[in-house]
Amino acid sequence: GSIPIALLSSEQIMKTMLSATGTENAGAPTPADDLIMKTYTERSGSLPSEQGLHQATGPMLISVANLASAVCAKAVANERAVSEATRDSRLFFREFDFSKGLSAQTATATVMGFDRLARNSWRRDTTSEEQTLIMNLVNEFSTGVDANDPEQTSLLAISICTSVLSSIDALTY
């Protein structure tokens, strides 16, 4: 990727997360929207107040990950709500079967979902190294969990989404 010039502001981070995941709220706020706003408000003191790269501190990155996880929970809930019959209309995890556990999800499905998310967030294709890193995350995530529990598939999708939205490429320009 290119060398980052500056951080996005806290408001820009929020807007780009919502835009990248298609979770902008068009109607009355849902509980998921309330959680996103609550997280944003609670964490705003740790989010970048200016655009200098020196603002990229540990607490800032943790706050960004917290906000990303709230946005991703809504994004994955939206993906899950799309039936298997029409799953090609999902934005990211088209190949995932959310009615099944991790054992039913393929590496190809995972990488394709990751690629779509990253393109929306980073505005570029992923590298083979990044794809390897996301598969490492999947393998670590899968260790010791019930591979047949569908909830684990949703949690994995949220984890992948959170890692994309809270990465440096998502926070800088």
Side-chain angles (χ1 to χ4, degrees):
S2 59
I3 296 172
I5 297 171
L7 280 175
L8 298 175
S9 69
S10 59
E11 189 175 327
Q12 288 170 322
I13 288 171
M14 172 80 147
K15 285 182 177 172
T16 58
M17 283 183 182
L18 295 174
S19 176
T21 56
T23 54
E24 304 97 330
N25 188 27
T30 65
D33 295 315
D34 293 342
L35 177 62
I36 291 167
M37 282 313 301
K38 179 177 186 272
T39 305
Y40 178 73
T41 302
E42 287 175 355
R43 298 294 179 172
S44 61
S46 301
L47 293 170
S49 55
E50 56 183 86
Q51 295 180 309
L53 290 175
H54 69 280
Q55 294 268 312
T57 63
M60 186 278 286
L61 295 172
I62 290 169
S63 292
V64 166
N66 288 142
L67 180 59
S69 69
V71 170
C72 290
K74 180 180 179 184
V76 171
N78 290 350
E79 298 267 296
R80 280 177 65 172
V82 175
S83 73
E84 286 303 304
T86 59
R87 67 187 189 179
D88 283 349
S89 67
R90 290 180 185 151
L91 292 178
F92 310 110
F93 296 103
R94 292 179 197 144
E95 294 76 18
F96 269 27
D97 183 343
F98 285 102
S99 69
K100 296 189 171 118
L102 297 175
S103 59
Q105 317 309 325
T106 66
T108 301
T110 302
V111 169
M112 289 175 81
F114 167 63
D115 283 346
R116 289 183 193 109
L117 263 164
R119 265 196 300 277
N120 267 20
S121 181
W122 304 342
R123 303 286 183 229
R124 64 170 178 81
D125 290 332
T126 59
T127 65
S128 58
E129 183 181 27
E130 288 163 341
Q131 291 172 1
T132 299
L133 288 170
I134 212 67
M135 289 313 299
N136 290 346
L137 171 101
V138 171
N139 293 333
E140 288 174 24
F141 181 92
S142 304
T143 304
V145 301
D146 180 353
N148 296 313
D149 178 3
E151 185 61 24
Q152 296 301 322
T153 299
S154 295
L155 293 174
L156 174 64
I158 292 168
S159 296
I160 292 168
C161 176
T162 300
S163 68
V164 169
L165 295 189
S166 59
S167 68
I168 290 295
D169 278 8
L171 306 176
T172 56
Y173 65 90

